[in-house]
Amino acid sequence: MKIPVTLKVNGETYDLVIAPYRTLLDVLREELQLTGSKKGCDVGDCGACTVLLDGKPVNACLVLAATVQDSDILTIEGLAQNGKLHPLQEAFIKEGAVQCGFCIPGILMSLKALLDENPSPTGEEVKAAMAGNLCRCTGYSKMFKAVESATSGLGR
Amino acid sequence: MEQLTIVGKPVTRVDAEEKVTGEAVYGYDLVLPDMLYGKALFSPKPHARIKRINTEEAKQYPGVVAVITGKDAPWTHGESIKDKPFLAQDKVRYIGEPVAAVAAMDEDTAQAAVRLIEVEYEDLPAYFSPEEACKPGAIPIHENFASYRKFDFIVPGSMPNVCEHFKLRTGDVEKGFREADLVLEERYYVPVIQHAAIEPHSSHAQVDPESGRVTIWVANDAPFRALHEISEALGLSQEKIRFINPLQGGGFGSKGGLKVETIAVALAYHTKGKPVRVKFNREETFISTLTRHEAVIHIKSGVKQDGTLAARQMTLYWGAGAYAEKSPTVCIRGSLPAPGPYRIPHVRVDGYAAYTNKPVAGSFRGYGIPQGAWACEQHMDEIAKKLRMDPVELRLKNIFVDGDLAYWGEQLHSVGLKETLIKATQAIEWGKPPGFPASQLGGEEARRLKPNIKIGKGFACISKPTRTPTTSKAGVLVNSKGEITVLAGTVEIGQGCSTILSQVAAEELKVPLDKVRMAPLDTDMIPFDASTTSSRSTYHMGNAVRRAAIDAREKLMEMARPMLEAKNEELACSNGKVYLKDQPQMALPIGDVVRRKLGNDGIVRGDASYTYEIGKDLDLETGHSDHASAFYMYATQAAEVAVDEETGRVRILRMSAAHDVGKAINPLNCAAQIEGGLAMGIGSALHEEMVIDSQGKVRNPSFLDYHLVTSLDLPEMIPIIVECPEPEGPYGAKGLGEPGLAPTPAAIGNAVADAIGVRICDLPLNPERVYWAIQQKRAKGSSRWLTEVA
């Protein structure tokens, strides 16, 4: 059985017909070809699929697509605006915070949610905001630095 | 040396932008037109004969295209020993071994059909410890081992289930023990852990029904080696096989060899030309890809009163798991330097790689060095304690320096070890009382109220060889716009090779970095490279790209000579231009040189190949070689820890990591590699362990239960780059990727022993183990703690 579902992703509206048990992650990746949200575990442990639902970070693998038709969904593909990278993206490049990059979309989305709520987080707040996102390459420390550099560059 | 313009600079990564925008397409993201979806059935038995497989119901399931078993894929493979079937043949050897596979119109259908396959097994006795598996009388896990095709250097020896016996014989250890003032013997254990790259494993494969050509899309770290292995397995010439490498979301050694690839290829032979994608989920990645070798290590040393090492004997049992994969070479290259980076006149090492009925162990960042170091470096501290010597002083007395003859018969040069030792220990204020800021434990008040918190410091040293001899080839293309394309078979696994190699090409062609791009990796187009392993790429491929770029530059200068009306004048190249050395205004952009000579579509190509020619294999009887490794990597890491004696929890307060990289081609990337290695090492020290029960089942195949370090778990990390140049390396560079985690657990182990006064010989140092060690010390006054191996 399939049902009609309307999703609003990165400001665009998509009318889809999907099975009701499909997760937001699978629909983003397979129906919308938005593969920036990564699948590292599919059970909510790794955070690589983090997207924002009305500004709140969620694991897209734990959300049924059909249940979020009223939400604004923001994925990594929507983070840069009008061809201009988000300060977090700039800072991640500049500070060398990216290695294999597989966890990066999820981490950037978690951090975007943090900065939207709290533009000058403490180091501890940054760590806590990223605690649900696993990275196996970097040891996180260059990411912490990147957040520092992004928040100071945001004009505060 | 000429002034370097781009090499040595902390430039940002060339691949970072596509990764922060989500545009980067990884192997796990790849969708091919008309693709089918494959899933496998995995063995639920650790060791059993397959009596019967019934696939009839699965074949009837709507949407299923093919259902196959070992009978439909009658091939075996293996890098060093051809022991592993594409799908189980007649028997299964571990829980998680692929037994059958389905290709279907979508993944759900494939999975549903897999559940309909019935298999009847007859249990066989199983072994879960490498030491047990090779005891006399053990039944063989591979009955036909003798008939398998193997590398020439494999020495299985006479014990059951041993697929490699490495021997090192130097001097006479018995004599050394007799001459020693102190003889100390210990046993250490390192459990199975996993690479746990955040991208799980996947592979796509397609077989062209007309030409028989096999194409495989996989984020493999050694596509040319994988191609060779597939070619040998299928009996197909290498021209009929093509590997295309999508981007890899981390590997750390796990994405070498063939695992999911063989399932995809086997299915692709039954899909009438349609490509098949097989993706492992996280649980499947845990149980059915690769793990790091568990190791049981016996170490015995004879030492003089003044701390001089007289003799060392080591016996290492490496748990290979059910198939050999890279076990023979892990056993060889992990056992060889296991006695440590020290001058020791009498050394005897026996390394045994033994089959067990556990998941397959393979290459893992560090390639055997972390296990040896866990034993050796803690043993060194025990020696220091017995001699009442400062552990730094004990190391300095014995440590490798330039000109030393290593115990494997090689004269060493460019040894930066001592500098790493001094800098790493200084960084944590070695010799001074615990100097941590009290705030880290919750302030002075908290500290006063917590007499149960004990502070300690420790460190560990390592040296690591690289795969030798090996070859890297490269091409460098220059077009009429002055743009450079580098053809190199090094895989971007996250380590930053695309940036490093771009820097090398830019340096030699004197162009800005943004003029250089890396060609995608496709074995049809790209010249041969041995592998992206063993920290070999900066050195080997760096040399190859450098020479290819110089080749291209010389061709450009030759072409420019008539254009600049130069006769015997010397030409030079900088800022993307060729010019007369004495009249720099007589200059031509390199793109113009190409265009004027070859037209708008013209391309100038430089080529080169690099092999460390004098590298020699180890002698099979003595383990000796006078050039065993193209270069050696040296490192020391030091830790300050706080141990809560009430809970057994270890907290690392700060940790330094000093690595001799030869020359940092990109200091930013070097620091990133060191920090990442350190974080992985900390995980393996404190909590990582694949818990495998007495029936061979992995009990924690998820990130919920297998704990990676998170953003909350890490201490202040102090990466320190030491540059002791390697004359043969590009600009003096050695390698760096692997050693980052090698000394980490031993350094932390030494710090924990310093803190609580008890030596813990098994990893990981999780709260439970540390707590019981403290309890045992209190009850029995014992200063040693060892848990029994399964």
Side-chain angles (χ1 to χ4, degrees):
Chain A
M1 188 195 71
K2 291 191 175 180
I3 55 169
V5 166
T6 302
L7 292 179
K8 211 163 107 198
V9 182
N10 302 332
E12 305 248 344
T13 303
Y14 297 90
D15 292 314
L16 305 164
V17 179
I18 57 167
Y21 57 81
R22 295 192 72 192
T23 64
L24 177 58
L25 179 61
D26 281 345
V27 172
L28 289 172
R29 289 173 57 81
E30 288 162 22
E31 303 295 328
L32 309 185
Q33 282 78 49
L34 295 173
T35 55
S37 305
K38 300 300 177 196
K39 189 185 272 195
C41 70
D42 212 20
V43 291
D45 293 337
C46 77
C49 64
T50 305
V51 299
L52 304 192
L53 272 190
D54 298 322
K56 299 266 181 258
V58 297
N59 288 316
C61 70
L62 296 183
V63 173
L64 294 180
T67 65
V68 290
Q69 300 189 65
D70 300 327
S71 298
D72 278 325
I73 299 160
L74 186 73
T75 73
I76 186 68
E77 288 89 350
L79 187 57
Q81 290 290 320
N82 308 319
K84 191 169 162 22
L85 295 181
H86 187 278
L88 279 168
Q89 290 171 310
E90 297 274 11
F92 265 57
I93 297 172
K94 186 176 130 232
E95 298 294 340
V98 179
Q99 291 190 29
C100 89
F102 202 77
C103 68
I104 296 292
I107 287 182
L108 287 172
M109 297 317 283
S110 290
L111 290 172
K112 150 121 176 116
L114 171 73
L115 296 194
D116 285 351
E117 191 115 308
N118 175 4
S120 310
T122 64
E124 291 309 307
E125 286 167 339
V126 171
K127 289 182 181 181
M130 287 168 53
N133 294 89
L134 296 174
C135 169
R136 190 56 155 168
C137 294
T138 66
Y140 308 98
S141 78
K142 300 219 178 303
M143 298 181 181
F144 303 152
K145 253 190 224 150
V147 179
E148 253 183 69
S149 127
T151 50
S152 56
L154 281 174
R156 267 169 300 276
Chain B
M1 190 190 274
E2 240 184 290
Q3 190 71 32
L4 296 172
T5 54
I6 296 177
V7 161
K9 303 287 187 295
V11 299
T12 58
R13 290 175 65 117
V14 298
D15 57 345
E17 184 162 338
E18 62 162 0
K19 290 175 174 178
V20 299
T21 54
E23 280 163 27
V25 175
Y26 294 78
Y28 215 62
D29 300 328
L30 189 66
V31 174
L32 299 173
D34 267 346
M35 168 176 97
L36 297 173
Y37 298 78
K39 287 304 281 182
L41 175 71
F42 301 93
S43 166
K45 301 281 188 181
H47 197 192
R49 242 169 252 301
I50 298 171
K51 295 192 69 177
R52 197 178 56 84
I53 305 184
N54 184 351
T55 58
E56 282 317 306
E57 221 183 317
K59 281 179 177 160
Q60 303 306 322
Y61 194 80
V64 167
V65 174
V67 182
I68 60 168
T69 68
K71 286 197 175 63
D72 307 299
W75 308 298
T76 53
H77 70 99
E79 186 200 322
S80 51
I81 300 174
K82 310 285 172 208
D83 61 355
K84 185 163 167 278
F86 278 38
L87 294 167
Q89 305 274 4
D90 304 324
K91 66 187 270 190
V92 290
R93 297 181 173 88
Y94 71 101
I95 295 179
E97 177 161 6
V99 174
V102 174
M105 306 311 289
D106 59 57
E107 206 156 81
D108 290 347
T109 304
Q111 189 61 62
V114 159
R115 292 200 188 95
L116 300 174
I117 301 171
E118 291 169 23
V119 187
E120 198 181 313
Y121 296 99
E122 181 185 307
D123 289 327
L124 294 166
Y127 298 97
F128 304 113
S129 150
E131 220 174 357
E132 291 299 314
C134 58
K135 280 197 172 141
I139 70 149
I141 293 167
H142 290 265
E143 295 89 339
N144 302 322
F145 181 79
S147 69
Y148 292 155
R149 280 195 298 142
K150 306 173 185 72
F151 275 165
D152 295 341
F153 61 75
I154 303 280
V155 183
S158 54
M159 290 148 74
N161 290 316
V162 171
C163 61
E164 165 65 21
H165 175 195
F166 167 77
K167 288 182 281 191
L168 181 78
R169 303 288 184 260
T170 300
D172 175 355
V173 279
E174 292 309 327
K175 180 166 175 276
F177 292 140
R178 279 195 305 273
E179 289 168 0
D181 297 315
L182 165 75
V183 174
L184 183 68
E185 194 169 357
E186 297 182 288
R187 176 183 184 275
Y188 288 87
Y189 176 67
V190 179
V192 178
I193 66 170
Q194 194 170 56
H195 317 68
I198 308 301
E199 181 197 31
H201 293 241
S202 70
S203 174
H204 301 56
Q206 183 173 27
V207 178
D208 185 89
E210 278 158 31
S211 64
R213 202 148 199 267
V214 180
T215 305
I216 299 158
W217 293 259
V218 63
N220 194 291
D221 68 24
F224 292 92
R225 177 157 66 187
L227 188 152
H228 178 75
E229 198 172 322
I230 287 277
S231 146
E232 284 197 324
L234 299 178
L236 206 58
S237 69
Q238 297 200 17
E239 303 75 55
K240 292 219 156 179
I241 305 164
R242 176 182 185 189
F243 271 75
I244 297 172
N245 258 59
L247 199 55
Q248 186 184 116
F252 316 106
S254 70
K255 286 172 182 163
L258 301 173
K259 302 150 307 276
V260 65
E261 293 88 339
T262 50
I263 303 171
V265 169
L267 281 171
Y269 271 98
H270 298 270
T271 57
K272 301 191 172 69
K274 285 194 175 178
V276 189
R277 174 177 88 183
V278 182
K279 280 166 96 168
F280 278 1
N281 62 28
R282 180 54 56 187
E283 181 176 351
E284 292 164 351
T285 295
F286 265 110
I287 66 168
S288 194
T289 61
L290 293 176
T291 67
R292 187 172 84 176
H293 289 77
E294 64 179 320
V296 180
I297 302 176
H298 299 268
I299 181 167
K300 179 180 176 182
S301 298
V303 196
K304 304 271 190 171
Q305 193 56 48
D306 69 355
T308 310
L309 293 172
R312 178 161 286 165
Q313 180 170 3
M314 292 183 81
T315 307
L316 305 98
Y317 297 93
W318 303 90
Y323 295 97
E325 235 290 317
K326 292 191 179 58
S327 290
T329 48
V330 168
C331 174
I332 293 167
R333 289 210 297 277
S335 301
L336 171 80
Y342 307 110
R343 290 181 296 276
I344 317 173
H346 305 289
V347 180
R348 183 187 168 99
V349 178
D350 289 279
Y352 301 97
Y355 289 122
T356 65
N357 295 107
K358 284 180 170 174
V360 183
S363 61
F364 189 118
R365 189 183 205 174
Y367 220 75
I369 302 300
Q371 293 94 322
W374 170 247
C376 172
E377 287 301 282
Q378 294 207 93
H379 184 70
M380 287 297 279
D381 266 31
E382 284 296 300
I383 290 170
K385 199 166 105 190
K386 291 255 176 348
L387 295 176
R388 296 173 195 281
M389 247 179 119
D390 183 307
V392 171
E393 198 191 323
L394 175 67
R395 300 310 198 288
L396 287 174
K397 192 129 212 156
N398 296 286
I399 205 165
F400 282 157
V401 293
D402 267 15
D404 276 348
L405 186 67
Y407 45 81
W408 57 87
E410 177 167 1
Q411 189 157 32
L412 302 172
H413 63 270
S414 314
V415 185
L417 183 58
K418 191 171 169 184
E419 193 179 338
T420 68
L421 171 60
I422 290 166
K423 289 191 166 161
T425 49
Q426 272 174 357
I428 63 154
E429 299 170 278
W430 183 262
K432 291 188 189 160
F436 68 94
S439 60
Q440 295 206 21
L441 292 179
E444 280 297 343
E445 183 65 5
R447 206 176 145 200
R448 193 177 57 76
L449 292 171
K450 287 184 180 171
N452 50 305
I453 303 272
K454 299 282 186 271
I455 311 291
K457 291 182 185 178
F459 69 92
C461 307
I462 58 114
S463 75
K464 188 189 178 303
T466 187
R467 249 188 110 189
T468 301
T470 60
T471 296
S472 289
K473 298 184 178 186
V476 169
L477 314 181
V478 184
N479 71 12
S480 65
K481 291 179 188 147
E483 294 162 339
I484 316 298
T485 303
V486 178
L487 312 183
T490 299
V491 182
E492 179 56 73
I493 56 179
Q495 85 283 42
C497 69
S498 44
T499 307
I500 301 296
L501 298 174
S502 296
Q503 282 180 266
V504 170
E507 183 69 52
E508 294 304 337
L509 282 157
K510 312 296 174 192
V511 296
L513 192 60
D514 62 8
K515 290 280 181 202
V516 183
R517 70 174 201 107
M518 302 298 295
L521 213 175
D522 176 337
T523 56
D524 269 8
M525 264 60 112
I526 299 292
F528 174 84
D529 176 49
S531 60
T532 304
T533 63
S534 210
S535 305
R536 62 177 291 284
S537 299
T538 296
Y539 177 98
H540 289 86
M541 190 57 86
N543 269 330
V545 169
R546 186 183 191 189
R547 289 170 187 203
I550 291 171
D551 185 34
R553 186 180 75 204
E554 284 174 354
K555 284 177 178 157
L556 286 167
M557 295 213 278
E558 235 11 80
M559 287 178 188
R561 190 168 282 283
M563 300 175 200
L564 292 168
E565 292 168 10
K567 294 197 176 78
N568 299 317
E569 292 97 324
E570 218 179 321
L571 296 184
C573 197
S574 79
N575 291 326
K577 288 177 185 156
V578 182
Y579 59 91
L580 297 184
K581 209 165 189 179
D582 297 327
Q583 288 170 271
Q585 74 281 10
M586 290 292 287
L588 266 178
I590 56 173
D592 287 5
V593 176
V594 176
R595 188 173 43 75
R596 283 170 64 168
K597 177 84 180 176
L598 302 167
N600 281 338
D601 300 331
I603 281 179
V604 169
R605 176 171 175 142
D607 280 289
S609 176
Y610 179 79
T611 309
Y612 180 69
E613 298 285 354
I614 55 173
K616 258 191 246 160
D617 287 338
L618 307 173
D619 180 84
L620 295 181
E621 288 308 310
T622 63
H624 284 216
S625 165
D626 52 11
H627 289 95
S629 177
F631 58 89
Y632 290 86
M633 293 163 273
Y634 300 98
T636 304
Q637 296 183 350
E640 182 173 19
V641 305
V643 184
D644 185 332
E645 290 204 311
E646 274 177 15
T647 63
R649 181 165 177 244
V650 176
R651 231 181 100 188
I652 301 166
L653 302 173
R654 55 179 166 173
M655 191 146 188
S656 64
H659 288 255
D660 172 14
V661 303
K663 161 78 184 171
I665 291 187
N666 185 331
L668 180 66
N669 201 58
C670 285
Q673 279 297 302
I674 293 172
E675 287 172 3
L678 199 50
M680 198 178 238
I682 288 170
S684 69
L686 296 188
H687 39 76
E688 284 183 41
E689 177 177 18
M690 275 176 82
V691 179
I692 300 173
D693 70 15
S694 62
Q695 300 306 306
K697 189 172 171 62
V698 179
R699 304 306 305 215
N700 56 345
S702 74
F703 285 147
L704 189 63
D705 294 318
Y706 183 94
H707 292 175
L708 306 185
V709 290
T710 74
S711 57
L712 300 173
D713 299 326
L714 290 168
E716 179 199 353
M717 297 193 279
I718 310 160
I720 299 165
I721 295 169
V722 168
E723 293 182 314
C724 183
E726 167 60 47
E728 179 81 3
Y731 318 98
K734 300 174 179 171
L736 174 62
E738 293 193 287
L741 52 48
T744 320
I748 294 168
N750 281 335
V752 168
D754 181 45
I756 62 174
V758 45
R759 176 69 55 189
I760 301 175
C761 299
D762 296 9
L763 279 172
L765 301 173
N766 56 27
E768 186 182 2
R769 181 168 282 123
V770 174
Y771 174 83
W772 284 114
I774 294 164
Q775 292 306 310
Q776 178 175 294
K777 173 189 151 202
R778 284 179 182 165
K780 299 185 190 163
S782 162
S783 65
R784 301 189 53 71
W785 172 254
L786 191 70
T787 46
E788 280 309 306
V789 182

